[in-house]
Amino acid sequence: MNDIKIGEILLPGEEADTEKREAKVRTRFWPVLKKAFSRLPFARDVVASYYCAIDPATPRRVKAILLAALAYFILPFDTIPDLLAVVGFSDDIAVLAAAIAAVRSSLKPEHFDQADTALELEKLASSQSKG
């Protein structure tokens, strides 16, 4: 995936677009993350980014960038289908990595604390459903 495409995906856009993305991300993030978790090399950063994106204190530009990347991750309009396991998620991973790198300074310790709690709860729920 080239830098131009990633740059286009991560454009903050209009406030109305950001609000629509936030609604979609809030609804679909956790189900998609559960499916992709084992193939996502930096799940903690992605979940912290989710919490940063929905944090009212997060600056609008940062929120818009993160929501654009998270929306790309959860929506099924990828050029490479996510059904192709690791290869299918490579474009999602590139977009998420670029977004996180661009706004890393806005990810606060509390976003990572929330991510750790959520991931631990997910691991617990997953282990209970298998056992």
Side-chain angles (χ1 to χ4, degrees):
M1 173 170 280
N2 61 38
D3 291 338
I4 296 170
K5 177 145 183 171
I6 291 174
E8 290 171 5
I9 293 167
L10 298 180
L11 286 174
E14 301 294 322
E15 191 163 347
D17 294 335
T18 300
E19 290 171 7
K20 287 178 190 174
R21 285 179 179 152
E22 183 171 355
K24 288 177 184 172
V25 168
R26 282 181 181 265
T27 302
R28 301 199 50 212
F29 178 76
W30 292 108
V32 172
L33 182 72
K34 286 177 186 181
K35 290 178 189 174
F37 181 73
S38 65
R39 296 173 286 193
L40 201 57
F42 51 100
R44 182 176 186 248
D45 288 339
V46 173
V47 177
S49 295
Y50 169 82
Y51 284 112
C52 182
I54 64 171
D55 183 345
T58 298
R60 179 188 163 334
R61 181 180 170 281
V62 171
K63 183 179 285 227
I65 289 170
L66 290 174
L67 288 170
L70 292 168
Y72 187 80
F73 171 64
I74 65 166
L75 296 175
F77 59 79
D78 292 5
T79 55
I80 303 171
D82 293 339
L83 299 173
L84 299 175
V86 175
V87 174
F89 279 104
S90 63
D91 59 327
D92 299 320
I93 290 169
V95 169
L96 288 166
I100 292 168
V103 300
R104 170 91 38 209
S105 64
S106 294
L107 292 171
K108 299 176 184 171
E110 55 264 27
H111 299 140
F112 286 99
D113 291 345
Q114 290 172 307
D116 291 341
T117 299
L119 291 171
E120 282 301 315
L121 291 173
E122 179 54 36
K123 285 179 191 174
L124 179 62
S126 178
S127 68
Q128 289 177 347
S129 68
K130 290 178 184 176

